[in-house]
Amino acid sequence: MLLLAFVIECRNDRKRRHRKMQSTTGNPMYALRDVPGKGKGLVAIEKISKGTRILSEEPVVTVPCNEQASEQLQISICQQVDALSKHQRRAFLSMHNIHAYGNAAEQYLGIIRTNALPIETNESEGRGIFFEACRINHACDNNAQKNWNTKIKRHTVQALRDIYKGEEITIYYLGVHKNREARNKALQAKFGFICLCCLCSLPLEQSQESDRRLDEIYRLDGLIGRGGVEGIVSSPLRSLGYVDQQVRLYNKQAPDDAGLPRAFLDAAQIAIANGDLARGRIFAERAVSGWSTALGGDSIEVIEHGTLARDPSKHMLYGISMKWRTTVDEAPRGLEPSDFEDWLWKREKPKRPGQLANLRSHMAFPGFMDLPGKNTVDLDFYESSDMVTYRPQRHWCFLGEIVDFGMLLRLEMTIKDVDGKEIPLYFYTDGRGSELAPAQVQKGYTVAILYAQRHAFVYGDPGIRHEDPQMIKIFPISLHELLVLNDQVQKFSVELDGIRLCHGCGRKAASLKRCSKCSSFWYCDRACQGAGWNEKGHKANCKLLKDPDLQGLFVLKWDEFDNHIRFPLHAAEDSEV
Ligand SMILES: C[S@@+](CC[C@H](N)C(=O)[O-])C[C@H]1O[C@@H](n2cnc3c(N)ncnc32)[C@H](O)[C@@H]1O
C-alpha cells in the first residue's frame, strides 16, 4: 500500500514537473531585450494598461526558504535542473548570476540566489525560479507589482500604472520601501547593483523630501501596529489619524504604491473594530480595488477582503467596541469629494485664527459613545510621558439634554446626547445633586459636563457618574436649540480678514456695531438690530450668549491642554477671543 502510494506520488511529481516546463512564454505584451546597464530585462511591446496581468507563471526550480547551501540542497537543485529540457536548461543557465562559482552545483545556487522570487506551498515558504518574472529588473519607482498568488499557485506580475510601448517593466526587489541610502545598500549587498531609477536620480532636495516621506510612512507603520487590537479600541481616532497621514504620504510619494491597499485595510479594521460599518465598508472597498490592480481579482487578498467589503460586520473584530457605531449605508451623500474625505477620516477642520470653537465638533464635544471609558486609558484623550501617570491631552465637554430626572438617594437624570442616545447621569457629588438650584434642573435643558467619562454601573446601563460640582453647567435651552445657536455664532460672531456679517440683514462689512448686551452679534444699524432681535431670535438668545460659561465654551482652545478648566468659565478664556 505504501509502495503504491510512493509510485503514484513519483508519477504525479513527474507530471507536475512536466506542467512546470510548459509554463509560460509567448506573451505578446513584452519582449526580453538588452537594457543598458542592467543586462536583460522585459520591455513592453504594446501599451499595457494599469491593472493588466502582465504574466502568470509557475516556478521551474524551487528551494526552501533560508536553506543553507547544504549538500542535500545542492542535490535537490541539480536534480531539478537536470530534469529541465535542453532549451529550458539553456534558459536557466543564461540567467544572471552575481555569485562566483567553482562547479555546476555552485553555479546553479548562484543563479537561484540572484534571481529567485518568494513562493509559498501548502507545507512551507520557499523561493522559485521563473523564466520570465525573474528577468524583470528592479526600480524603486516600479511600474509593476510581483506577487506569489497562493490561490492559483503562480507568480503574477500586474501593471501598477499604464506602461507605454517601449517602456521597461520594473518591479520592486526589496520588502519595505526605505530611504534612498538604505535601498541602495540592500540592493548592492543582495543583487550587486546601484539603482539609477528616476527616484534614485532625483536632485538632492527632492530626493531628501522623498526620503522623509518614506521614513515617515515607515514610522507610521510602527505606530499603527503598536497597540494591536487594544490600541485601535483605546485610541481609534489617533490610529485612524496615523493611517490618514500614511495614505496622504503615499499619495504624494507614489499614488500607485502597493502599500496603499494595506493602509486602507488598516483603516477598515480600525473602523470595524469600533462598530463603524459605513467607513469600514468604504475603506475595505478601497483596499480591494488597490489589490485588484496590483495583485488581480484571483488573489487571496481580493477574495478575502472582497467579502469584508460586502459585509464588514462579518469581520472578527466587529463589535469589540461600538464607539463609532454606524450602519453600512450611513455614509453621507452629496458631499464635495474633499468634505467626504474629511468625514471618512474623521478629520477635524483646523481652526482659522479668530474662529470660535464649534459645539458640533465631536472631538471637543463628543457623544457618549465617543467618551473615554472610566477604567481604561484612552489615548485619544490622555497622554503620558512616563506611561504611569496620564493627563488629558486636550479638553472635552459632554453635552446632553435632560429628558427626565428624579431624586432618590441622589439626583439622577436621563439625558440625550448629540447622537440621540439616552443615558443615565448619577450625581455622586457631596451634595448628591442638591447643590443645583431646582430652577436649573428642568426637562429640555442642556447639561454640559467637562471631562466626562463613560462609567459602567454595576446595576443599570452605562452612563456618567458625576462627582465634581465644578465640572457641570446647565444651560436653559434644549440641545437642538443650543446647536442651532452655535451655528449662528459660527456665522455671525466671527471676523474674517476684518469683515463681519450683519446678523440682521446678512451684509458683509468691516464697520458693523456689536450688540452691547452680549457682544456676540454685529449689526449695520438700529434697523438691523431690530430685525435681529425680533425676527431672527436674538431676543431669546442674547441673554444666553451673555452667559460667560457659554462664551467660554466658544472661545476655549479645546485642543490645547494646560490645566483642567472648571465652571464658571470666563476671564482667562475671554481674553482668547
Ligand atoms: C533578477 S535579475 C534581473 C534580470 C537580469 N537583468 C538579467 O539580465 O537576467 C537581477 C539582476 O539584474 C540586474 N538589475 C536588476 N535591476 C537593476 C537595476 N535597476 N539597475 C542595474 N541592474 C539591475 C542586477 O545585476 C541584478 O543582480
Side-chain angles (χ1 to χ4, degrees), residues 100-234:
Y101 56 88
N103 57 41
E106 283 172 14
Q107 181 188 11
Y108 300 164
L109 198 58
I111 290 175
I112 288 170
R113 283 191 176 149
T114 310
N115 294 276
L117 291 163
I119 60 169
E120 204 180 304
T121 62
N122 289 344
E123 305 86 45
S124 62
E125 290 180 356
R127 291 158 67 70
I129 289 294
F130 303 83
F131 280 140
E132 304 194 8
C134 291
R135 290 295 195 172
I136 306 180
N137 288 314
H138 164 96
C140 301
D141 55 352
N142 51 315
N143 55 21
Q145 178 64 33
K146 65 178 169 65
N147 178 48
W148 171 254
N149 185 319
T150 50
K151 210 75 190 160
I152 59 171
K153 305 254 178 295
R154 296 173 81 94
H155 189 88
T156 64
V157 176
Q158 302 237 149
L160 285 175
R161 52 178 179 267
D162 288 349
I163 303 172
Y164 294 93
K165 187 176 170 182
E167 199 183 333
E168 189 190 358
I169 297 165
T170 53
I171 54 175
Y172 190 77
Y173 283 6
L174 305 170
V176 189
H177 281 232
K178 296 179 178 158
N179 63 42
R180 180 167 154 178
E181 194 188 327
R183 286 195 310 265
N184 273 301
K185 233 184 199 165
L187 288 169
Q188 201 168 17
K190 268 184 106 178
F191 302 98
F193 70 91
I194 298 277
C195 186
L196 295 175
C197 72
C198 295
L199 193 64
C200 292
S201 312
L202 284 175
L204 185 67
E205 211 169 291
Q206 286 173 38
S207 175
Q208 285 173 339
E209 203 178 309
S210 151
D211 282 355
R212 268 196 294 277
R213 277 196 294 267
L214 290 169
D215 288 343
E216 185 60 6
I217 288 173
Y218 186 68
R219 190 186 75 86
L220 287 165
D221 238 1
L223 292 177
I224 295 162
R226 193 172 55 178
V229 174
E230 210 177 290
I232 62 177
V233 173
S234 69

